[in-house]
């Protein structure tokens, strides 16, 4: 997630701009990172969905300013009513059962011990980071992960008793960062997909040049290079396979 955010606003040669080539390279080398990111987002979204009734109806947002209180409440409700949480609601209710995911077992007990050890180690590493801003963002993210898991592992009736303002801020901030990172990665992969099919199509035209008339070859190359809507639609549909050109 952090890597995606850095690559989305990358400082290079005195300019801040997206570095999609570097991000695509990282994705290709570590596809499991993307899978972990997707899983983390689903788990955190599930935890947010679990506390939706409490945040939507019962929690008192107090900022010290009545206008800001109402604005904050409206924004949180807007988040809880978002398409992602609404569309996944039925899945969360019927298909996502954290009680089975975290069911007591010897394997879970061992995994929990290893997780706590890794979590503490990451926290210690974060505390050693020299950049105060980086340390702050990492600490908030770790807090958000801890809050999300604690919500999933706590009985519904008990969550309201310990959930604090800082907990809510950390969880919402983490969900935002994870979702934003997935969007950045999705855009990078879409660019890669377009690049792949265009290169494959041009290579196919070159291979078949002896079988094509000059006017046919020029028409195909022109359509591929200048993003003809029909060719682009076929290319995105069939991917790197140039068979659609036949």
């Amino acid at each position: 997630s952090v890597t995606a955010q850095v690559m989305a606003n990358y400082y290079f040669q005195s300019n801040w701009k997206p570095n999609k080539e570097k991000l695509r390279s990282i994705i290709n080398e570590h596809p499991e990172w993307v899978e972990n990111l997707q899983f983390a987002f689903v788990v955190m979204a599930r935890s947010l969905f679990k506390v939706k009734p409490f945040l939507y109806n019962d929690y008192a947002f107090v900022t010290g300013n009545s206008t800001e209180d109402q604005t904050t409440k409206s924004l949180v409700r807007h988040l809880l009513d978002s398409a992602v949480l609404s569309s996944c609601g039925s899945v969360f209710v019927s298909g996502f059962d954290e009680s089975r995911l975290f069911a007591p077992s010897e394997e879970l007990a061992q995994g929990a011990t290893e997780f706590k050890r890794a979590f503490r180690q990451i926290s210690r590493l974060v505390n050693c980071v020299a950049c105060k801003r980086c340390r702050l963002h990492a600490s908030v993210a770790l807090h958000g992960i801890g809050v999300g898991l604690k919500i999933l592992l706590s009985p519904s009736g008990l969550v309201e008793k310990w959930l604090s303002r800082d907990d809510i801020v950390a969880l919402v901030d983490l969900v935002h960062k994870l979702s934003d990172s997935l969007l950045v990665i999705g855009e990078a992969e879409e660019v890669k997909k377009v690049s792949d099919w265009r290169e494959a199509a041009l290579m196919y035209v070159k291979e078949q040049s002896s079988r094509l008339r000059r006017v046919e070859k020029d028409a195909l190359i022109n359509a591929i290079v200048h993003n003809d809507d029909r060719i682009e639609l076929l290319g995105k549909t069939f991917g790197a396979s140039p068979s659609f050109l036949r």
Side-chain angles (χ1 to χ4, degrees):
S1 176
V2 173
T3 299
Q5 292 168 46
V6 171
M7 293 299 107
N9 195 24
Y10 191 78
Y11 187 75
F12 182 68
Q13 295 182 346
S14 302
N15 289 311
W16 293 94
K17 59 182 180 180
N19 191 340
K20 294 184 178 180
E21 291 185 3
K22 178 64 175 177
L23 181 56
R24 289 197 299 274
S25 174
I26 294 172
I27 293 172
N28 290 335
E29 292 177 6
H30 303 282
E32 72 280 4
W33 289 4
V34 179
E35 295 175 0
N36 291 340
L37 180 60
Q38 292 169 337
F39 179 74
F41 175 73
V42 170
V43 173
M44 294 301 107
R46 164 58 182 158
S47 67
L48 194 60
F49 182 82
K50 186 175 179 179
V51 294
K52 176 178 178 178
F54 174 61
L55 295 180
Y56 205 98
N57 300 312
D58 302 323
Y59 185 79
F61 295 94
V62 180
T63 65
N65 182 299
S66 57
T67 302
E68 290 294 330
D69 293 346
Q70 190 58 42
T71 300
T72 302
K73 184 176 182 179
S74 298
L75 290 173
V76 171
R77 286 187 170 183
H78 181 68
L79 169 64
L80 298 173
D81 287 333
S82 64
V84 173
L85 288 183
S86 299
S87 61
C88 295
S90 59
V91 177
F92 286 148
V93 172
S94 61
F96 192 109
D97 186 357
E98 63 272 6
S99 64
R100 294 182 61 187
L101 182 63
F102 301 110
S105 66
E106 183 178 344
E107 183 178 352
L108 176 64
Q110 181 180 356
T113 301
E114 293 177 357
F115 177 80
K116 290 179 181 178
R117 186 184 301 114
F119 208 79
R120 293 193 186 99
Q121 181 65 19
I122 293 172
S123 299
R124 284 195 291 268
L125 289 173
V126 167
N127 292 333
C128 294
V129 175
C131 173
K132 293 182 179 179
R133 183 177 297 179
C134 300
R135 190 162 63 242
L136 172 62
H137 282 285
S139 298
V140 173
L142 286 172
H143 186 181
I145 293 172
V147 171
L149 293 176
K150 190 175 179 180
I151 288 173
L152 293 179
L153 293 172
S154 299
S156 298
L158 295 180
V159 173
E160 295 82 351
K161 296 181 179 180
W162 60 260
L163 193 65
S164 68
R165 178 178 182 272
D166 289 346
D167 293 336
I168 296 171
V169 170
L171 179 60
V172 171
D173 182 72
L174 177 63
V175 171
H176 165 255
K177 287 180 178 177
L178 294 177
S179 61
D180 191 53
S181 299
L182 287 172
L183 287 175
V184 171
I185 290 172
E187 291 173 359
E189 289 182 328
E190 184 64 25
V191 171
K192 179 179 183 298
K193 183 178 179 181
V194 172
S195 176
D196 286 348
W197 75 254
R198 186 174 288 116
E199 291 177 6
L202 288 172
M203 183 61 67
Y204 181 77
V205 172
K206 180 180 178 180
E207 292 173 353
Q208 301 296 320
S209 59
S210 62
R211 300 173 56 186
L212 296 171
R213 292 180 298 165
R214 179 63 180 268
V215 64
E216 293 174 333
K217 183 169 65 173
D218 289 346
L220 280 173
I221 293 175
N222 185 65
I224 295 168
V225 172
H226 293 92
N227 298 328
D228 181 278
D229 291 341
R230 295 166 298 176
I231 295 292
E232 185 173 2
L233 177 60
L234 289 170
K236 289 181 177 180
T237 301
F238 288 93
S241 173
S243 59
F244 65 88
L245 286 176
R246 297 194 185 104

